[in-house]
Amino acid sequence: MDELNEINNNLSTKAVYDYNLVRQAISGNQKAYAELLNRYRESVYYMMVKMCNNKDDAEDLTIEAFGRAFKKLEQYSPDYAFSTWLFKIASNNAIDFIRKKKQAMLFSLDNKTNVHDSDSENHSANLKANSLDPEEHYIRKQKIDTVRLIVDKMKPKYKEMVELFYFQEMSHEEISKKLDLPIGTIKAQLFRARDLLFAALKEKGTNL
């Protein structure tokens, strides 16, 4: 009780409400995750747009920020507002993304000035392949039967996401229509499902 009173004294009413949502989410309340996403998705998105000046990148970075935050939720400390913690994660992730994107562009431009035109197409294809999300690439390369064994043990919600996205190769928009859920929710849940799947695949190591 003393700790809760101290938190109430240090944080605003809004921040205390967020902290209660965080505690509910950690305990497994999926509605709490959804509410945290809905409360700050727009704010994070506009911050991402300002940082990267690209709406598509901003959308992806927004979902990735929430995915990273939700993965580390137990590390959140009520010494400061959840929104401050979330924005810091989003900002750091965006800075890293922008830096890598600039490096890729410089690498591409540098190579274009040093290769013949006949090699340009192959170089472009290699650069694109190397820029794929390593987790995404790893999951897609695994044997279907091995992946299915892991997926069958996942929670129904995540199992369905993996089934639709990886096995049926449906887009975020198609899954959104099928499940009648916002695309933002689909991306957030798929991020968590992919993270769980990748961790399970990685744990198996040489057994794959």
Side-chain angles (χ1 to χ4, degrees), residues 70-85:
F70 289 163
K71 184 178 179 180
K72 301 177 180 179
L73 208 55
E74 292 185 1
Q75 298 178 20
Y76 166 67
S77 169
D79 292 337
Y80 37 83
F82 171 77
S83 58
T84 301
W85 182 73

Side-chain angles (χ1 to χ4, degrees), residues 47-59:
M47 182 173 71
M48 296 297 96
V49 169
K50 290 181 179 180
M51 291 186 69
C52 65
N53 198 30
N54 182 296
K55 291 184 177 181
D56 290 335
D57 287 343
E59 179 68 28

Side-chain angles (χ1 to χ4, degrees), residues 10-164:
N10 292 335
L11 300 179
S12 66
T13 301
K14 180 181 179 181
V16 171
Y17 184 83
D18 286 343
Y19 176 61
N20 288 329
L21 286 177
V22 169
R23 291 196 301 174
Q24 292 174 41
I26 292 175
S27 66
N29 188 326
Q30 296 301 315
K31 290 184 178 180
Y33 279 110
E35 187 169 352
L36 285 170
L37 177 66
N38 290 333
R39 282 169 70 83
Y40 293 106
R41 184 177 183 277
E42 186 173 319
S43 297
V44 172
Y45 171 74
Y46 284 119
M47 182 173 71
M48 296 297 96
V49 169
K50 290 181 179 180
M51 291 186 69
C52 65
N53 198 30
N54 182 296
K55 291 184 177 181
D56 290 335
D57 287 343
E59 179 68 28
D60 291 339
L61 287 170
T62 297
I63 297 304
E64 189 170 340
F66 279 100
R68 290 175 181 272
F70 289 163
K71 184 178 179 180
K72 301 177 180 179
L73 208 55
E74 292 185 1
Q75 298 178 20
Y76 166 67
S77 169
D79 292 337
Y80 37 83
F82 171 77
S83 58
T84 301
W85 182 73
L86 173 64
F87 294 155
K88 184 66 174 178
I89 289 176
S91 177
N92 287 342
N93 188 51
I95 291 171
D96 187 52
F97 169 81
I98 293 169
R99 182 175 65 251
K100 290 180 179 178
K101 190 173 184 179
K102 287 182 178 179
Q103 289 175 345
M105 291 176 64
L106 290 172
F107 176 77
S108 178
L109 289 173
D110 181 63
N111 277 272
K112 283 182 180 179
T113 62
N114 289 283
V115 298
H116 296 293
D117 291 341
S118 59
D119 295 330
S120 296
E121 186 175 346
N122 289 334
H123 171 72
S124 177
N126 290 333
L127 182 62
K128 183 177 180 180
N130 289 335
S131 65
L132 290 175
D133 185 320
E135 294 183 8
E136 193 87 12
H137 182 70
Y138 186 80
I139 291 172
R140 289 188 183 279
K141 286 190 65 176
Q142 302 316 306
K143 294 179 180 179
I144 295 298
D145 54 350
T146 302
V147 174
R148 284 191 179 278
L149 287 174
I150 297 173
V151 173
D152 286 341
K153 298 178 182 180
M154 299 174 73
K155 292 182 178 180
K157 176 176 62 178
Y158 300 137
K159 178 180 178 180
E160 185 174 35
M161 288 294 170
V162 172
E163 174 71 32
L164 295 175

